Amino acid sequence: EMQHRFNAATDSAAAPNFKTFHAFCYEVLCNDLEVRMKLGYSSVPSVLSDIEEKQTILRISKQSGLPHTLLTKKKLTPREQTHKAILARAVDKAFKTENLITYDMLADNVSKLFITDEACIQKYKKQYKHIFVDEFQDTDTFQAKFVESFKDSSIFVVGDVLQNIYSFRGTTSEVIKGYAKSDIWTKFYLHNNYRSTKQICEYANEFSQYADDTFRISMESERDGEDVHIITFPIAQYGTAKSQMETCHQIVQMCHGSTAILARTNREAEDIANFLSGFDVRVYHKSDKLKGILHAIADDEHMIQWLTSNLTGTKYIQ
């Protein structure tokens, strides 16, 4: 999106390099033999899908006799911590031996080379003189260290502390909060909102008064629109699944026109759609499940892989 808008606005032949964190690290891994050797790969590794990653981990888990749940379990006994370290090393060794990697692994492993200032990545730090990061409130501390590792580059980050929506994936707004409070960084407060109407901006400004003035931005807009109507319900903010469904049902009944309901996961969106079966409901989400079904119809081997990926670790091993 950013690259498309840049190309449409300028005739410059020297366009910036537009990349996500993962895409940048993948490009480095593909094009740089020295980086691959440093990470233990003799050639460009195959990037595993979620299904393939799960199957590989379950296979190594079965071979080692250690439960795969150790890798994601939060609270571990000292014995479990030892077993987790053993299993993690076995998985890492298998990935290197079989020339496999995941998107998260490649981003973490390549980023770590930048953070530790390895010799093989010095050319990239010399290449990029200016770095711009958008949606910085949705970065994690590791990604922030990766950006900060470009010591000789000018760094410009844009973000809104109050819009951190990916904390469940490990991101945090604490990094940009630290920047806002630091004397090292020059701060610019962007008040103009080009997307929302002034009525929505006024409501958002009133709603955000709880926030620290260091982070809060009073938004302005030249676009006129309909008034914002607030509907309140006498229930707790976080109720049971049933009470949340009933709230959605009441809102849809009271609102005129179309209504958008946002959900964090595909499963939640499908549950809401099933509950609102009396309405014209359309669910928009990633089509991974549909792709899996269609691929399975054409390829028996993929069908087996896809079906087994939905089994629990115990049933898969059986």
Side-chain angles (χ1 to χ4, degrees), residues 5 54 67 73 93 97 174 191 232 234 265 269 273-274 292 299 311:
R5 291 168 65 180
K54 183 176 180 180
K73 189 176 180 181
K93 181 179 179 181
T97 303
E174 293 303 315
H191 296 276
T232 58
T265 65
N274 291 334
D299 187 338
L311 298 174

Side-chain angles (χ1 to χ4, degrees), residues 67-87:
H68 68 95
T69 51
L70 287 172
L71 298 176
T72 55
K73 189 176 180 181
K74 299 298 182 183
K75 294 183 179 180
L76 299 171
T77 64
R79 181 183 178 85
E80 287 176 327
Q81 289 176 352
T82 301
H83 287 169
K84 178 180 179 179
I86 294 172
L87 180 58

Side-chain angles (χ1 to χ4, degrees), residues 37-253:
M37 296 293 287
K38 184 69 177 180
L39 295 179
Y41 293 99
S42 56
S43 60
V44 178
S46 300
V47 180
L48 296 175
S49 66
D50 291 342
I51 294 174
E52 293 167 334
E53 178 186 2
K54 183 176 180 180
Q55 289 177 330
T56 303
I57 291 175
L58 286 172
R59 172 167 55 82
I60 304 305
S61 170
K62 181 180 179 181
Q63 292 171 352
S64 65
L66 298 172
H68 68 95
T69 51
L70 287 172
L71 298 176
T72 55
K73 189 176 180 181
K74 299 298 182 183
K75 294 183 179 180
L76 299 171
T77 64
R79 181 183 178 85
E80 287 176 327
Q81 289 176 352
T82 301
H83 287 169
K84 178 180 179 179
I86 294 172
L87 180 58
R89 284 198 296 269
V91 170
D92 182 68
K93 181 179 179 181
F95 274 41
K96 300 289 175 59
T97 303
E98 299 173 30
N99 210 44
L100 305 173
I101 200 167
T102 69
Y103 274 111
D104 286 338
M105 281 176 58
L106 75 87
D108 290 347
N109 293 348
V110 174
S111 295
K112 193 176 293 182
L113 298 180
F114 283 81
I115 294 171
T116 56
D117 213 27
E118 298 292 335
C120 60
I121 52 82
Q122 293 304 317
K123 54 182 172 288
Y124 299 104
K125 293 191 175 182
K126 294 177 181 178
Q127 177 182 351
Y128 295 103
K129 302 300 182 184
H130 308 283
I131 297 175
F132 171 93
V133 188
D134 195 21
E135 303 290 358
F136 198 74
Q137 78 280 353
D138 283 322
T139 56
D140 57 39
T141 52
F142 191 76
Q143 291 170 336
K145 289 180 180 178
F146 166 67
V147 174
E148 292 169 1
S149 72
F150 289 80
K151 302 292 186 183
D152 298 325
S153 303
S154 63
I155 300 173
F156 192 105
V157 304
V158 177
D160 185 345
V161 169
L162 307 188
Q163 292 194 50
N164 172 232
I165 59 174
Y166 288 106
S167 57
F168 66 101
R169 291 183 180 172
T171 69
T172 176
S173 61
E174 293 303 315
V175 178
I176 197 170
K177 283 182 179 179
Y179 288 2
K181 291 181 177 179
S182 171
D183 293 332
I184 299 175
W185 290 81
T186 302
K187 273 79 68 179
F188 301 93
Y189 293 88
L190 308 178
H191 296 276
N192 292 334
N193 187 307
Y194 300 97
R195 178 178 295 171
S196 301
T197 63
K198 63 181 180 182
Q199 288 83 355
I200 292 176
C201 288
E202 288 170 359
Y203 172 73
N205 291 338
E206 182 178 350
F207 183 78
S208 65
Q209 288 181 2
Y210 70 90
D212 188 320
D213 287 339
T214 307
F215 315 123
R216 180 177 175 273
I217 298 173
S218 181
M219 296 184 293
E220 301 170 357
S221 174
E222 296 181 357
R223 293 180 57 196
D224 198 23
E226 297 181 9
D227 291 337
V228 175
H229 300 284
I230 304 168
I231 304 172
T232 58
F233 293 87
I235 63 171
Q237 184 177 3
Y238 298 101
T240 62
K242 184 178 179 181
S243 70
Q244 292 172 348
M245 296 294 186
E246 290 173 346
T247 300
C248 289
H249 192 274
Q250 293 177 60
I251 292 174
V252 173
Q253 282 184 315

